[in-house]
Amino acid sequence: MRRPAVTAVSAAAAALLLAVGCTSGDGDTGAPERSPGTSASRTTPPPGASAPTAKGSVKVERTVASGLQSPWGLAALPDGDLLVSSRDEGKIFRISAESGKKTELGSVPGVSPAGEGGLLGLAIAPTFGEDHLIYAYLTTDSDNRIVRMIYDEKRPAGSRLGAPDTVLKGIPKGVIHNGGRIAFGPDRMLYAGTGETGDDGLAQDKKSLGGKILRMTPDGRPVHGNPDADSVVYDYGHRNVQGLAWDADKRLWASEFGQNTWDELNLVQPGKNYGWPEVEGKGDEPRYVDPVEQWTTDEASPSGIAYVKGSIWMAGLRGERLWRIPLAGTKPVAEPEAFLDGRYGRLRTVLADGSDGLWLVTSETDGRGSPGAGDDRILQLRVS
């Protein structure tokens, strides 16, 4: 079902963002209609290789939680419960995966929400069983940064977060294009997707942390094997990266907002240039890496992605749908499929649930949606 008309609050927020020149942020508001473009070449898996079928399916099994305000980041605890961040409230909540009960862990000091900034991505340390560390990507008065906090569930609700320890600071901030997704990879290193804040020159500046994918140790130091041994910059030439996921062969994939023409799904290669602002979508220029798939901005405006059952699953904000991209290695085996089109409004975050399914977070209360009763919510999906 569709949402009611935009409220005065959300309309005012949209007007403010338009006033600062945002025609292509989280919602790509105002982009004209376009014809679909050419997708990447399809491939057939070699004999004996397993690959997803061309046609998939999505079943919404249940609503895990509802009534969430500006949810953004999502992370799964070892016991299966979920942590979700509220972008505008600057708080982290624990959601029982069984009952949906919401418990406040606490507020994260230093969060300065404005526009698309605030408390964004969350990640659980690979060593959580020993150190109980939670990582968060947040916007402050001066920058975007990554912090970590000890989670002590024995303390009273609302005061379960220790003082934040800054892991990395100096990521450029803006009203738009703050990136914000963080995740630990199979190598147990920390990755972050950043945005160029509307200053597109930052994407090509290797000395800037904006418009990049970053790779660092859990302490925020450059990793041996990065393109530049003294830098956390892993690749560059991005506009606004908000989705990170690894496939079964430990390849990193990233989703990216386009401006007025093409949104992208990229296969991440260290040291490579993904073209922004010189190229949007497929440019067929040897200096830049072309996306594996692309969509018009009204179809996608992608945020989180996850890898389940041989496919990348991509949440769409302005597109208000969940995309499935079936893969054989590094190539799609069929055209992307869209699910849940318009049924739950804007879709922000998607996370593998560890059992061939997905957690999906809606984003109707972010100032650009049309929230209805129960928004926002976390859904559990069964997919194939």
Side-chain angles (χ1 to χ4, degrees):
M1 63 181 178
R2 286 301 309 122
R3 302 287 177 232
V6 177
T7 63
V9 172
S10 57
L16 173 61
L17 289 167
L18 287 171
V20 297
C22 177
T23 60
S24 49
D26 276 358
D28 288 300
T29 306
E33 296 290 331
R34 289 165 200 83
S35 301
T38 303
S39 298
S41 300
R42 312 296 161 201
T43 189
T44 302
S50 60
T53 58
K55 296 296 183 182
S57 66
V58 170
K59 179 183 178 182
V60 179
E61 291 200 323
R62 63 190 178 114
T63 297
V64 179
S66 59
L68 304 175
Q69 295 300 310
S70 61
W72 209 103
L74 189 71
L77 291 166
D79 67 359
D81 282 357
L82 300 170
L83 298 183
V84 61
S85 64
S86 170
R87 186 194 69 184
D88 297 341
E89 293 178 317
K91 295 180 179 180
I92 299 176
F93 297 89
R94 180 171 181 155
I95 307 294
S96 169
E98 293 298 323
S99 68
K101 179 182 177 181
K102 182 174 71 172
T103 304
E104 181 183 335
L105 272 62
S107 297
V108 179
V111 175
S112 180
E116 295 173 8
L119 183 58
L120 304 176
L122 297 177
I124 303 298
T127 52
F128 183 83
E130 293 79 45
D131 56 30
H132 301 283
L133 286 174
I134 297 170
Y135 286 69
Y137 186 113
L138 59 97
T139 309
T140 73
D141 287 334
S142 60
D143 64 359
N144 284 300
R145 61 181 60 185
I146 300 169
V147 302
R148 60 186 177 186
M149 299 156 285
I150 294 176
Y151 169 31
D152 185 354
E153 61 182 317
K154 295 179 180 179
R155 294 178 61 85
S159 59
R160 294 178 177 174
L161 295 176
D165 172 33
T166 299
V167 173
L168 182 71
K169 62 182 179 179
I171 303 169
K173 63 164 283 188
V175 175
I176 58 172
H177 304 176
N178 289 286
R181 195 68 61 188
I182 56 175
F184 281 94
D187 57 2
R188 298 169 73 88
M189 296 296 107
L190 180 62
Y191 293 74
T194 72
E196 34 76 305
T197 72
D199 179 357
D200 56 26
L202 297 181
Q204 293 293 320
D205 181 358
K206 294 183 182 180
K207 295 182 180 179
S208 171
L209 299 180
K212 311 291 190 298
I213 292 174
L214 311 178
R215 176 177 181 245
M216 69 202 78
T217 70
D219 296 323
R221 297 190 302 269
V223 181
H224 177 73
N226 278 3
D228 183 338
D230 296 323
S231 174
V232 297
V233 172
Y234 195 58
D235 74 356
Y236 66 109
H238 295 291
R239 186 168 180 266
N240 192 21
V241 176
Q242 288 191 5
L244 300 172
W246 287 263
D247 64 22
D249 292 311
K250 302 180 180 180
R251 290 177 290 249
L252 176 59
W253 298 80
S255 61
E256 179 168 353
F257 284 92
Q259 184 174 34
N260 292 317
T261 310
W262 298 117
D263 294 324
E264 302 177 1
L265 176 68
N266 287 300
L267 176 62
V268 177
Q269 303 172 58
K272 296 297 185 180
N273 186 345
Y274 287 79
W276 179 256
E278 302 303 322
V279 176
E280 182 180 358
K282 295 181 66 176
D284 297 318
E285 293 193 22
R287 292 176 295 169
Y288 309 122
V289 179
D290 278 345
V292 173
E293 284 289 3
Q294 62 183 21
W295 295 260
T296 57
T297 55
D298 53 308
E299 293 178 310
S301 297
S303 189
I305 61 173
Y307 180 83
V308 171
K309 303 195 76 170
S311 297
I312 294 288
W313 299 83
M314 186 178 80
L317 288 164
R318 187 180 179 213
E320 296 190 354
R321 65 200 82 175
L322 178 68
W323 285 99
R324 173 185 182 262
I325 305 95
L327 298 171
T330 62
K331 298 290 185 180
V333 297
E335 293 285 343
E337 288 182 282
F339 296 94
L340 308 180
D341 190 356
R343 184 173 170 186
Y344 294 98
R346 294 161 58 81
L347 307 180
R348 169 67 67 182
T349 297
V350 61
L351 180 71
D353 71 359
S355 181
D356 290 337
L358 297 168
W359 306 111
L360 179 65
V361 180
T362 68
S363 192
E364 286 289 284
T365 59
D366 66 348
R368 293 186 176 179
S370 303
D375 284 328
D376 271 309
R377 60 197 78 209
I378 300 174
L379 308 172
Q380 187 171 24
L381 313 180
R382 190 60 46 211
V383 301
S384 65

